[in-house]
Amino acid sequence: MTDEEIKALEKEVKKLKRIASEWASQMHDLVEDRLPAAYEDIPGIAQSTYDACKAWADANKKLAAAGVTA
């Protein structure tokens, strides 16, 4: 993997971590502020949070495979 590819992957990992954190924040807000009334929002927010965290984890694994730790 070239230095440019590694830098691009590092940037992608940071972006995906930010997105995952934003979804986690939405889940936190749901739990803290809107439940039990907004219980129907749980599946959608949970799935989006899971997907965002999975995307981050997959990208982070690629980065680790390249010998770089985030």
Side-chain angles (χ1 to χ4, degrees):
M1 193 172 259
T2 68
D3 284 344
E4 284 183 18
E5 291 171 324
I6 290 173
K7 285 181 184 180
L9 188 53
E10 286 175 326
K11 185 177 179 180
E12 182 70 7
V13 167
K14 286 179 184 178
K15 174 186 160 192
L16 292 171
K17 185 175 182 179
R18 179 187 51 78
I19 292 169
S21 294
E22 288 171 3
W23 277 108
S25 179
Q26 286 188 41
M27 182 177 285
H28 178 268
D29 291 347
L30 173 66
V31 171
E32 287 287 316
D33 302 330
R34 297 174 32 218
L35 288 181
Y39 72 93
E40 292 178 339
D41 293 343
I42 293 170
I45 292 175
Q47 186 64 55
S48 294
T49 303
Y50 174 86
D51 293 345
C53 290
K54 175 96 169 79
W56 167 80
D58 291 346
N60 204 37
K61 284 179 188 175
K62 286 182 187 177
L63 193 59
V68 180
T69 55

